[in-house]
C-alpha cells in the first residue's frame, strides 16, 4: 500500500476541512524551620511553553519534620474565610496553621506558620478515648468549622471526630468530640452541616487478633449526632461480588475485609463514593438513608496493551507483559458534566505486607503462575489469597495511572485511563531519576513495585477549563490533565519541585492536594509532601494563547500544532495510543479515507466493499 507522511495527511485533511467549512505569590514572613534545608529554585512546569495552563512554584512551608518514612506534612485543608491552610503533621502531632494568600511575587516565598497542639485541646474531653494519631483535616464550606480525624491508641477501638470553630486569625476553639468507626483515616464535609469519615478498620495485628469492621460514619454538625454505616448487608452477596471482580480475602467477609480509604461527595451532597482500596472497588453511599446502595469493581490495567517498566535493572524499558495491574486507588474525586457524574481515581495500589499472616506480596523473578520469568525481582500480588482474581494469571499492585469512570445506573463505565503516560512523562523529563523512590534517587528503584505511584487527585477550574491534578508519591510532582469534556481528556502539564541533588530535598512525596481558585484565570494548588515535611504552593495561570497539548510528542513550536489540536477536537484524526500522535510516522491511504469518512459524520454504510484487501473487521 502506498504510504504518505502523517504531516502531509494532516495538511491535506485540514485543507479539505476548511474548504468544506467555507474557508510567587504568597504573603508571609521567614520560616523558622531548619530541619530540612530547602532551596529557592524557581521550579516551573516542563510544558509551560506549550500548555493551556502554566504552573510555577510560588511558595513553600517547611514544617521542620522531614521523615524518610513519611507521615509528616500529609493532608492539607484550606479555609477561604481566614485564608489559612491547615496541615496534618503526623511526626510532630500538630496541626500547622499557615497563612496563604495571593500576590504577584516572582520568587518562591518561604512561609511561616503556627503549630496547634490538637492533642492538648482534646485530651480529657472523653475519658474513654486514648489519643493515638491525627490522620485527616477538613474545613466546612462556609469556613465556620474545622474537623480532624483521630485514631485511638488501641487499634481496635473507635476513633473520634473533633470539631473546632475557626477564628479570623486562624486559631481554633474546641467545640465537641464524638466517637465514630475504627481508625478514621480520612474525613470530608459533604456540606456545612455534615461530616463523613472513612473508617478503615485495618487488621493491624494480623491474624493474631481481631479484624475491625470498616465503615463510614455520618456526623451532623453542630449537634454531633453520629450514624456509623457498616458493610454487613454485603456478606450475603460475597459470591456475586467476587465474580464481578471485587477482591475479598479468602475466609473473610465483606463486612470485615472492606477498608474505606477515601470519600468523594456529589455536588448535591446526597451521595458519597467510597474507595475500598484493597478490594479494588467503589462503594456508593446514600447519605440521607445512611445505607450503602452498591459496591462496584474497578477493573484491571492490562499490561498486554499498556506499556510498563516492570524491571529494576537500571534502564528505562517500557514494554508489554502478560500481566495485570490491580488499580486499588487511594485518592478519588468527583466531576459532574453535562448532567452526568464522573469518578476519577488515582490508581496507587496497596499491600498488606505490614500485617502478620496477611502478607499478599510475593517478591520473585518468576511470576506466581510460573508463566513469566524476568531478570529482576518483581513484587507480585498473591492472587491465591483472594477471591475475585484468576489464579492462573499474574497481577501486580496498582495501575500507575489515573482513570475516569462514568457513573451509570448499574455500575462504573471506564471512559479514560492515562495508561503508561506517567512513566513516559517522567522518563522524558527526569530520565536520570526515572521510577526512583521518595527517599532514594537511584534510577529504576520502583519499577518492580508500583512505579511512580499515583497517590491523590484534586480538581479545579481555571478560565472555564476543568483540570485534574494527580500527585505522584514516589518520583514526585503533579501531573495535570484537562478533563473539561471527560471523553476528550488531554494531558496538559507536569511540575516537580523536588531537588534531585540529594535523596530528600525540597518537596518530596506529595500526598494531600487542595485547589484554591483566585481569579478566573489564576489559581493556587497546595501540595502537602509527607517525606520532606513541606507544603508546596503552585501558581496556576491560564495562558490566553495556549492550547492544551493533545499529545506528548506535539509541541507548541511545531508548525502543525494548532492543526493537530483542531483535527483531534473534531474527531477527524486520532493519536496512535499512549498519548502519542507520531507526526513523522508514515501515513496510509486507509488513514486518509478514514479522515474523509469522519469528516462526513461517519454515516452508516449498507454496501459491500469490493476491494479484496479490505477486511470487514478492519478499522477503516
Amino acid at each position: 500500500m502506498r504510504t504518505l507522511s502523517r504531516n502531509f495527511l494532516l495538511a491535506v485533511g485540514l485543507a479539505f476541512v476548511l474548504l468544506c467549512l467555507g474557508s510567587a505569590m504568597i504573603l508571609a514572613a521567614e520560616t523558622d524551620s531548619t530541619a530540612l534545608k530547602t532551596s529557592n529554585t524557581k521550579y516551573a512546569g516542563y510544558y509551560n511553553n506549550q500548555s493551556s495552563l502554566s504552573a510555577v512554584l510560588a511558595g513553600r512551608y517547611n514544617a521542620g519534620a522531614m521523615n524518610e518514612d513519611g507521615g509528616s506534612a500529609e493532608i492539607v485543608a484550606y479555609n477561604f474565610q481566614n485564608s489559612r491552610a491547615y496541615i496534618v503533621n503526623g511526626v510532630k502531632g500538630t496541626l500547622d496553621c499557615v497563612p496563604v494568600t495571593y500576590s504577584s511575587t516572582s520568587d518562591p516565598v518561604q512561609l511561616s506558620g503556627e503549630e496547634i497542639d490538637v492533642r492538648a485541646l482534646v485530651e480529657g474531653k472523653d475519658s474513654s478515648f486514648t489519643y493515638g494519631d491525627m490522620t485527616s483535616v477538613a474545613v466546612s464550606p462556609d469556613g465556620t468549622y474545622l474537623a480532624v480525624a483521630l485514631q485511638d491508641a488501641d487499634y481496635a477501638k473507635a476513633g473520634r471526630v473533633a470539631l473546632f470553630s475557626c477564628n479570623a486569625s486562624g486559631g481554633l476553639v474546641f467545640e465537641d468530640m464524638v466517637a465514630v468507626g475504627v481508625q478514621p483515616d480520612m474525613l470530608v464535609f459533604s456540606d456545612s452541616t455534615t461530616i463523613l469519615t472513612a473508617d478503615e478498620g485495618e487488621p493491624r495485628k494480623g491474624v493474631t487478633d481481631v479484624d475491625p469492621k470498616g465503615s463510614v460514619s455520618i456526623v451532623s454538625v453542630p449537634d454531633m449526632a453520629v450514624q456509623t454505616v457498616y458493610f454487613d448487608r454485603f456478606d450475603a452477596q460475597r459470591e456475586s461480588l467476587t465474580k464481578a471482580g471485587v477482591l475479598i480475602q479468602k475466609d473473610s467477609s465483606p463486612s470485615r475485609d472492606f477498608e474505606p480509604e477515601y470519600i468523594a461527595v456529589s455536588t448535591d451532597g446526597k451521595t458519597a463514593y467510597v474507595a475500598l482500596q484493597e478490594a479494588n472497588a467503589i462503594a456508593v453511599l446514600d447519605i440521607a438513608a445512611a445505607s450503602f446502595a452498591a459496591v462496584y469493581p474497578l477493573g484491571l490495567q492490562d499490561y498486554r496493551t499498556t506499556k510498563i517498566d516492570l524491571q529494576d535493572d537500571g534502564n528505562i524499558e517500557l514494554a508489554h507483559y502478560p500481566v495485570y495491574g490491580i488499580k486499588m486507588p487511594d485518592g478519588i474525586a468527583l466531576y459532574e458534566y453535562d448532567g452526568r457524574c464522573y469518578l476519577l481515581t488515582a490508581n496507587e495500589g496497596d499491600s498488606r505486607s505490614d500485617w502478620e499472616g496477611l502478607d499478599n506480596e510475593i517478591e520473585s523473578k518468576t511470576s506466581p503462575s510460573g508463566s513469566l520469568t524476568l531478570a529482576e525481582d518483581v513484587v507480585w500480588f498473591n492472587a491465591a489469597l483472594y477471591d475475585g482474581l484468576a489464579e492462573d494469571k499474574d497481577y501486580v499492585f496498582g495501575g500507575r495511572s489515573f482513570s475516569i469512570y462514568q457513573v451509570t445506573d448499574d455500575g462504573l463505565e471506564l471512559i479514560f485511563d492515562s495508561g503508561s503516560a506517567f512513566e513516559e512523562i517522567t522518563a522524558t523529563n527526569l530520565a536520570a531519576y526515572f521510577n526512583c523512590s521518595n527517599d532514594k534517587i537511584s534510577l529504576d528503584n520502583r519499577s518492580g513495585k508500583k512505579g511512580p505511584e499515583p497517590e491523590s487527585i484534586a480538581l479545579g477550574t481555571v478560565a472555564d477549563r476543568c483540570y485534574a491534578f494527580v500527585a505522584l508519591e514516589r518520583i514526585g510532582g503533579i501531573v495535570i490533565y484537562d478533563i473539561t469534556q471527560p471523553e476528550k481528556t488531554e494531558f496538559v502539564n507536569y511540575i516537580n519541585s523536588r531537588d534531585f541533588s540529594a535523596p530528600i530535598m525540597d518537596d518530596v512525596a506529595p500526598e494531600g492536594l487542595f485547589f484554591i481558585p483566585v481569579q478566573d484565570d489564576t489559581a493556587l494548588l497546595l501540595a502537602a509532601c509527607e517525606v520532606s515535611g513541606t507544603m508546596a504552593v503552585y501558581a496556576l495561570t491560564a495562558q490566553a494563547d495556549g492550547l492544551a497539548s493533545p499529545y506528548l510528542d506535539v509541541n507548541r513550536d511545531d508548525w502543525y500544532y494548532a492543526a493537530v489540536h483542531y483535527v483531534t477536537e473534531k474527531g477527524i484524526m486520532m493519536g496512535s495510543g499512549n498519548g502519542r500522535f507520531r507526526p513523522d510516522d508514515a501515513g496510509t491511504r486507509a488513514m486518509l479515507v478514514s479522515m474523509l469518512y469522519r469528516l462526513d459524520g461517519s454515516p452508516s454504510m449498507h454496501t459491500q466493499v469490493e476491494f479484496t484487501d479490505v477486511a470487514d473487521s478492519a478499522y477503516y
Side-chain angles (χ1 to χ4, degrees), residues 401-449:
S401 66
F402 90 98
S403 302
I404 302 179
Y405 297 86
Q406 182 180 337
V407 180
T408 66
D409 291 338
D410 56 359
L412 302 173
E413 179 185 353
L414 180 66
I415 65 164
F416 174 83
D417 187 274
S418 61
S420 60
F422 293 167
E423 287 188 292
E424 292 185 353
I425 291 164
T426 52
T428 299
N429 298 289
L430 292 166
Y433 311 104
F434 173 77
N435 275 356
C436 68
S437 189
N438 51 17
D439 60 350
K440 299 180 180 65
I441 53 175
S442 54
L443 171 67
D444 233 18
N445 177 254
R446 296 289 296 181
S447 287
K449 185 179 181 180

Side-chain angles (χ1 to χ4, degrees), residues 55-113:
V56 297
L57 179 71
R60 176 185 293 118
Y61 170 72
N62 189 338
M66 181 271 286
N67 187 343
E68 66 180 18
D69 294 325
S72 181
E74 189 170 7
I75 304 299
V76 59
Y78 183 77
N79 190 326
F80 290 93
Q81 299 304 312
N82 63 17
S83 301
R84 261 65 175 180
Y86 295 90
I87 309 164
V88 173
N89 189 328
V91 172
K92 287 189 174 182
T94 60
L95 189 66
D96 294 4
C97 175
V98 183
V100 178
T101 54
Y102 184 88
S103 79
S104 56
T105 304
S106 59
D107 292 335
V109 177
Q110 299 300 309
L111 305 174
S112 63

Side-chain angles (χ1 to χ4, degrees), residues 2 9 93 218 234 295 303 323 343-344 435 505 551 566 597:
R2 182 182 298 173
L9 286 175
I218 306 169
F234 296 102
V295 173
Y303 291 120
V323 172
L343 196 67
L344 288 76
N435 275 356
M505 183 73 174
Y551 307 100
Y566 180 88
Y597 175 68

